[in-house]
Each structure stands twice: as structure tokens, then as C-alpha cells.
């Protein structure tokens, strides 16, 4: 439904271009290959192409493990060359996948070329099969370390149990109370069982490596119940638990959060040039998960508003969800509601509905208040907005050496200005000799803004609390902070005036 190529596909295209350039260079330049492979994995993950993101992540890991060295033998050199060829295969697969996405998103039906999805799936299977060949040696080495660590754990536990038994206190011979050693033994035995359950697939030579990895991944991502947040029996946890259950359907996974931060610490210890991008991506994911805590499921909030709800995992802050419900209440009943969340941006499609002009204006004002927009189409309407106003995808631009942030969900396109007047006026004021023209849809209105430089898109934290005693322009919604804590003026046109 977008007029231009989606932003997430633009990010993927840029990562692919860098990967192709790095591949065309000398074989020894593995650092560039690794860096662009990590960037591609991050771009694919942001586009919710999880399978391809896993391909790129695994390939980057193999490139690290098989980086050429001065003492490299003939077999290792052959492996390095074969990995570079796999980079070319990955580029072809990603391009074919993004082409199929573009074809499915074509509204006008002008594109008659349909990609061969069967051939694409066979390419994926063959690529993963070839990639696993390079992973066998790494897995074998890792499993041997796990086996050795587990053996040391068993020995340490046995030693600890013997010491506990020798130090056990004397109990009443008449009543069979559990001794201190019994309690310790029971807890230690349970610990051993838990460790065996996690690592047993790795220690069994008949179990495939992929099954073992899947088992370990499952064990490390088991959600923790809300009642386990605090083990202090003196506190009544039922009130807090009930509040969370009633006001949010998203369960924050503490174990996954800890594992993600642990991965960042490991990267930081061996930080090199390309590691910064990888660790920053992990920390950004952690910030996104923190924002999800307390958000509400749109599927729950939209119940009873339509005969058919085509909504899966879509969450939003309570004020965002309430605004969308209000918009739906203004419109006449629609037979079906389709909603999807992509990179913290929510798109709600209402089919077979023709709103009046007054309804479009009213909904446009409401959506502008939450940095959203409404698009009227032939078969219905689309409402777009961020899932939260405290953290959202942002399009960045520069005017007179100052940074500006625009909600990405309102961004339509950008064009370079070949010849322009010396001074141009727009919603932000005057600008001298602009180079870029950006088109936005704010609510139901189209706007054009001018800039000297267009930077790109990234997810940023938004600070809305500007003291009322400070005078500010009507378009300034707050301050946006990027990953380097640089301040950007958050452009929120019509947020306060409609």
C-alpha cells in the first residue's frame, strides 16, 4: 500500500550492496564480510525475516571462526574460499525473498512476474546444508568443552555433598526429621537433574547437533511466571500479579533479557570494529522488549468491534490502543479488521468500508495526536501509528547543522532537489538552499519538509516532558535520543493543534 519501496527493504538492499562489494575484494578482507553480514542479519531481523536473519547470523559466525591466518594450511584456505562462495548464495536468496515480498505488496497488479517459491525453498535448504558443514567442527569443540565443564560440575557437587554429610548435625533418633545433609542432597540432586536435562542432548553422540541446539534454546527461553518475580514470602504478590494480567498481555521474559545482556558483555570484552554494530543491535532489542512491558494486545482491545479479527501478536501502549479504539468507534462497522506490527509500527487495515469526509478529518486528528496517519484507498482505509510514543522508528534529517527526527510511520518518500530557491518555507520555518524534499502524511494531511541532508531511519527514545514554561514551536513534540545520546528535535506536526 506504500507509494515507495518500504524502508525495511531499503535497509536490506544497502546491507546486500555492502556485502557484494566486500565479497568482490581480496579473500583476506574477512572483517568487511563479517561486518556487512552482521548488518544484513540486523536488517533482516528488523523486517521480521527470522529465517534469513538466522542464515546471515550463522554465516557471520562461521566467517569469524574460519578467518584466514598467516599459519593457515591448505584445508583451512579451501574452507575460507568456500565460505566466500556461500556469501554469494546468501545474497541471491535474500534478493529472491525480498523480490517475492515486493510482488505480494504490489497494489496495482502491474508486476506479472511471480517468483518461483519452490525453487527458493530448495535454495534455502541447500544453503543451510552447506553452512552446517562448516559448523560441525565448531559444535564438536563446543560440546567437548560442555562435557568437560559438566564433569567438573559433577565432581564439585560430589565433593560438596561429602562435606555437607560430614558436617550434618545430630537429630532426635525417635523422630525421623530431615537432616541438613538430606536437604542439601535433595537440592543438589535436583540441580544435577536440571543440568542433565539441558546438556544431555549434547553429550549423546546419537543426537544431532541441530536437535541439541534446539533443546538448549528451549531450555534457556522458558518464560518465568509472574509470581516468581519476588520470592519474599512476607510480601503479597497477588495484587501486582493481577494488575499485570489485567492491563497487559505481554509477558516479559527475564531469562531471555539476561541472556541478551550477557551476549553484549561477551562482545564488549573482545570489541573490534564490527562488534559495535552487533552489540548495539542487541541492546536495541533489549530496549524494545522493555517498552513492550505494560503494552496491551490489540486483539483483546478490538474484540466485538468486527465480525472477523485478523490480528496475531500486535501490542501497543494503553493510550495508543485507546486512540485506535476511539477511531474505530467513529467509523461505521466493518466486516474485518487486519492488523500487523512491523518494527514497532502498527498498520490497521479496514476492508469494505467507505468513510465520510468528516470521519476522515476526525480520525486524522486523533491519529496525528499519536504520530500516526490515515490513508483512504479503493477497498477501505489504513490507519498507521507507532506502538509507543516513548520509543519509535524515526527518520532523521539535517537542517542548518541541526538534527531533526520524524516519525517513520508518517514518512512517504524523499527526493533530491536539483534547483531550488535560496530561501524556502515549510512547516518548520525557513531553510536556506535546501537539497532534499521529504513527503509526509500526518493524520489525513500531506506535507512537504525540506532539509540539507537525509540520514536514514533508526529506532530512538522519545522524551516528551518539555517544561511548560519554555516557549517552543507548535511542531516540537519532544526530544529524540539516538544510540549515541545525540539530541534530535522530534517533529510532531498537528499533534497539539488539531
Amino acid at each position: 500500500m506504500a507509494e515507495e519501496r518500504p524502508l525495511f527493504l531499503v535497509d536490506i538492499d544497502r546491507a546486500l550492496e555492502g556485502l557484494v562489494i566486500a565479497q568482490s575484494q581480496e579473500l583476506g578482507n574477512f572483517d568487511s564480510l563479517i561486518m556487512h553480514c552482521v548488518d544484513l542479519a540486523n536488517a533482516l531481523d528488523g523486517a521480521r525475516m527470522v529465517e534469513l536473519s538466522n542464515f546471515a547470523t550463522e554465516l557471520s559466525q562461521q566467517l569469524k571462526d574460519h578467518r584466514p591466518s598467516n599459519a593457515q594450511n591448505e584445508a583451512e584456505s579451501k574452507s575460507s574460499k568456500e565460505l566466500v562462495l556461500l556469501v554469494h548464495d546468501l545474497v541471491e536468496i535474500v534478493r529472491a525473498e525480498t523480490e517475492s515480498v515486493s510482488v505480494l505488496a504490489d497494489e496495482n497488479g502491474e508486476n506479472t512476474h511471480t517468483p518461483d517459491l519452490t525453487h527458493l525453498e530448495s535454495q534455502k535448504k541447500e544453503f543451510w546444508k552447506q553452512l552446517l558443514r562448516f559448523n560441525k567442527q565448531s559444535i564438536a569443540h563446543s560440546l567437548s568443552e560442555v562435557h568437560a565443564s559438566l564433569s567438573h560440575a559433577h565432581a564439585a557437587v560430589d565433593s560438596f555433598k561429602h562435606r555437607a554429610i560430614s558436617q550434618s548435625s545430630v537429630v532426635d533418633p525417635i523422630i525421623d526429621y530431615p537432616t541438613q545433609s538430606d536437604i542439601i542432597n535433595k537440592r543438589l540432586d535436583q540441580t544435577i537433574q536440571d543440568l542433565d536435562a539441558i546438556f544431555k542432548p549434547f553429550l549423546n553422540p546419537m543426537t544431532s547437533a541441530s536437535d541439541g541446539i534446539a533443546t538448549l534454546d528451549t531450555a534457556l527461553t522458558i518464560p518465568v511466571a509472574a509470581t516468581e518475580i519476588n520470592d519474599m514470602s512476607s510480601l503479597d504478590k497477588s495484587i501486582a500479579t493481577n494488575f499485570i494480567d489485567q492491563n497487559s498481555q505481554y509477558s516479559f521474559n527475564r531469562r531471555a533479557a539476561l541472556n541478551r545482556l550477557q551476549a553484549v558483555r561477551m562482545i564488549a570484552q573482545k570489541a573490534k570494529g564490527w562488534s559495535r554494530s552487533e552489540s548495539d543491535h542487541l541492546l536495541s532489542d533489549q530496549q524494545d522488549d522493555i517498552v513492550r512491558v505494560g503494552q496491551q494486545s490489540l486483539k483483546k482491545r478490538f474484540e466485538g468491534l468486527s465480525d472477523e479479527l485478523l490480528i496475531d501478536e500486535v501490542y501497543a501502549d494503553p493510550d495508543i490502543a485507546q486512540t485506535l479504539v476511539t477511531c474505530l468507534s467513529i467509523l461505521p462497522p466493518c466486516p474485518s479488521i487486519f492488523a500487523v506490527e512491523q518494527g514497532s509500527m502498527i498498520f490497521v487495515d479496514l476492508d469494505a468500508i467507505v468513510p465520510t469526509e468528516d470521519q476522515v478529518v476526525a480520525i486524522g486528528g486523533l491519529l496525528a495526536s499519536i504520530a500516526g496517519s490515515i490513508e483512504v484507498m479503493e477497498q477501505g482505509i489504513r490507519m498507521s501509528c507507532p506502538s509507543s510514543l516513548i520509543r519509535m522508528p524515526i527518520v532523521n534529517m539535517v537542517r542548518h547543522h541541526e538534527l531533526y527526527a520524524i516519525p517513520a510511520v508518517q514518512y512517504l518518500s524523499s527526493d533530491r532537489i536539483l534547483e531550488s530557491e535560496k530561501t524556502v518555507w515549510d512547516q518548520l520555518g525557513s531553510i536556506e538552499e535546501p537539497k532534499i524534499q521529504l513527503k509526509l502524511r500526518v493524520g489525513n494531511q500531506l506535507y512537504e519538509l525540506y532539509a540539507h541532508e537525509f540520514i536514514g531511519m533508526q529506532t530512538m527514545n522519545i522524551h516528551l516532558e518539555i517544561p511548560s514554561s519554555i516557549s517552543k514551536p507548535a511542531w516540537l513534540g519532544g526530544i529524540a535520543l539516538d544510540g549515541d545520546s545525540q539530541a534530535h528535535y522530534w517533529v510532531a506536526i498537528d499533534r497539539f493543534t488539531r
Side-chain angles (χ1 to χ4, degrees):
M1 293 182 181
E3 299 177 3
E4 301 291 333
R5 188 168 177 83
L7 285 173
F8 70 89
L9 290 182
V10 174
D11 292 338
I12 294 174
D13 291 342
R14 290 175 179 173
L16 288 175
E17 182 180 355
L19 199 57
V20 170
I21 295 175
Q23 183 197 16
S24 64
Q25 298 173 353
E26 294 296 329
L27 178 63
N29 190 11
F30 262 46
D31 288 339
S32 295
L33 284 173
I34 295 170
M35 179 185 68
H36 291 296
C37 207
V38 170
D39 289 341
L40 177 60
N42 296 343
L44 291 169
D45 183 65
R48 297 297 188 266
M49 298 181 179
V50 180
E51 183 183 25
L52 297 182
S53 178
N54 291 338
F55 286 177
T57 300
E58 180 62 28
L59 181 57
S60 67
Q61 183 61 46
Q62 295 309 317
L63 289 170
K64 298 176 195 176
D65 296 340
H66 295 83
R67 183 189 286 109
S69 60
N70 296 331
Q72 189 178 32
N73 55 39
E74 183 177 352
E76 292 174 341
S77 177
K78 182 180 179 182
S79 297
S80 301
K81 294 179 180 179
E82 291 177 352
L83 272 175
V84 174
L85 294 177
L86 281 184
V87 171
H88 177 267
D89 295 340
L90 177 63
V91 171
E92 288 189 346
I93 291 173
V94 173
R95 282 178 173 168
E97 182 84 5
T98 54
E99 179 184 354
S100 67
V101 172
S102 299
V103 171
L104 293 176
D106 188 1
E107 295 178 349
N108 301 324
E110 298 175 355
N111 194 335
T112 58
H113 173 67
T114 302
D116 188 354
L117 298 181
T118 304
H119 179 65
L120 179 59
E121 290 300 322
S122 63
Q123 280 185 306
K124 291 180 183 179
K125 292 180 181 179
E126 181 62 25
F127 175 81
W128 188 245
K129 179 181 178 181
Q130 295 297 325
L131 194 57
L132 285 180
R133 289 193 304 107
F134 297 95
N135 201 21
K136 288 181 179 178
Q137 183 177 1
S138 301
I139 290 178
H141 178 70
S142 300
L143 296 187
S144 63
E145 292 183 349
V146 170
H147 185 271
S149 300
L150 191 57
S151 300
H152 290 310
H154 277 283
V157 168
D158 289 338
S159 175
F160 185 53
K161 288 171 65 176
H162 288 305
R163 290 200 306 270
I165 294 174
S166 63
Q167 297 174 3
S168 61
S169 58
V170 180
V171 300
D172 191 336
I174 300 177
I175 303 176
D176 189 16
Y177 290 110
T179 65
Q180 181 182 2
S181 60
D182 291 335
I183 297 175
I184 294 176
N185 286 338
K186 182 177 180 180
R187 292 180 178 177
L188 294 177
D189 289 341
Q190 183 63 43
T191 302
I192 291 296
Q193 293 176 10
D194 293 340
L195 289 173
D196 285 338
I198 294 175
F199 294 108
K200 185 177 180 180
F202 292 93
L203 304 179
N204 186 355
M206 301 302 294
T207 304
S208 66
S210 60
D211 293 339
I213 293 174
T215 304
L216 180 60
D217 183 66
T218 302
L220 293 179
T221 56
I222 297 175
V224 181
T227 54
E228 296 181 23
I229 295 177
N230 195 333
D231 291 328
M232 298 176 64
S233 59
S234 60
L235 297 179
D236 184 3
K237 301 179 289 295
S238 60
I239 299 178
T241 303
N242 292 336
F243 177 81
I244 293 174
D245 292 340
Q246 293 173 5
N247 292 275
S248 172
Q249 285 75 38
Y250 180 80
S251 176
F252 186 68
N253 193 328
R254 296 187 304 161
R255 192 188 303 270
L258 291 173
N259 289 343
R260 183 181 293 124
L261 292 177
Q262 186 66 26
V264 175
R265 294 181 63 186
M266 293 175 62
I267 294 173
Q269 292 175 5
K270 52 182 180 181
K272 295 181 181 179
W274 53 267
S275 298
R276 183 179 181 277
S277 174
E278 188 175 359
S279 60
D280 183 71
H281 175 69
L282 291 173
L283 289 173
S284 178
D285 282 348
Q286 181 64 11
Q287 288 178 309
D288 292 341
D289 268 2
I290 291 174
V291 172
R292 275 195 176 275
V293 177
Q295 289 189 335
Q296 299 176 346
S297 169
L298 291 190
K299 188 172 184 179
K300 295 286 187 181
R301 293 300 306 269
F302 289 176
E303 285 182 353
L305 299 179
S306 177
D307 297 333
E308 185 179 18
L309 293 177
L310 303 176
I311 305 173
D312 191 11
E313 298 292 326
V314 181
Y315 298 91
D317 284 359
D319 56 340
I320 302 290
Q322 182 58 49
T323 301
L324 292 176
V325 171
T326 304
C327 291
L328 293 175
S329 66
I330 295 175
L331 295 168
C334 56
S336 66
I337 299 177
F338 173 79
V340 65
E341 182 179 357
Q342 178 182 303
S344 300
M345 296 183 291
I346 296 175
F347 303 94
V348 181
D349 289 347
L350 309 177
D351 296 330
I353 184 174
V354 181
T356 65
E357 183 177 352
D358 291 339
Q359 289 173 338
V360 172
V361 172
I363 295 174
L366 288 171
L367 292 175
S369 68
I370 56 172
S373 64
I374 177 174
E375 180 182 2
V376 180
M377 301 168 296
E378 294 182 0
Q379 301 297 327
I381 65 175
R382 162 172 284 188
M383 298 187 298
S384 309
C385 65
S387 64
S388 174
L389 290 180
I390 64 173
R391 180 171 172 81
M392 69 177 72
I394 288 294
V395 171
N396 306 111
M397 68 177 188
V398 178
R399 287 169 60 111
H400 295 299
H401 306 290
E402 293 184 329
L403 298 171
Y404 290 78
I406 302 171
V409 76
Q410 297 179 336
Y411 168 79
L412 295 179
S413 64
S414 62
D415 299 307
R416 181 168 292 278
I417 302 175
L418 299 180
E419 295 181 4
S420 65
E421 300 177 4
K422 187 173 183 180
T423 302
V424 179
W425 290 81
D426 58 15
Q427 294 293 318
L428 308 185
S430 63
I431 176 174
E432 300 290 336
E433 298 182 354
K435 304 298 182 182
I436 304 293
Q437 181 190 60
L438 289 84
K439 296 181 180 179
L440 312 178
R441 180 181 286 111
V442 181
N444 62 310
Q445 298 293 323
L446 295 177
Y447 292 98
E448 294 177 353
L449 298 182
Y450 295 88
H452 292 111
E453 182 182 357
F454 176 76
I455 300 177
M457 188 182 78
Q458 58 180 310
T459 303
M460 302 173 66
N461 295 345
I462 310 297
H463 294 264
L464 308 174
E465 298 81 7
I466 298 180
S468 57
S469 59
I470 298 179
S471 60
K472 62 182 181 65
W475 54 262
L476 182 59
I479 300 298
L481 293 180
D482 59 19
D484 295 327
S485 294
Q486 284 186 303
H488 302 239
Y489 297 118
W490 179 42
V491 179
I493 300 175
D494 289 349
R495 171 167 162 77
F496 306 105
T497 59
R498 300 176 62 183

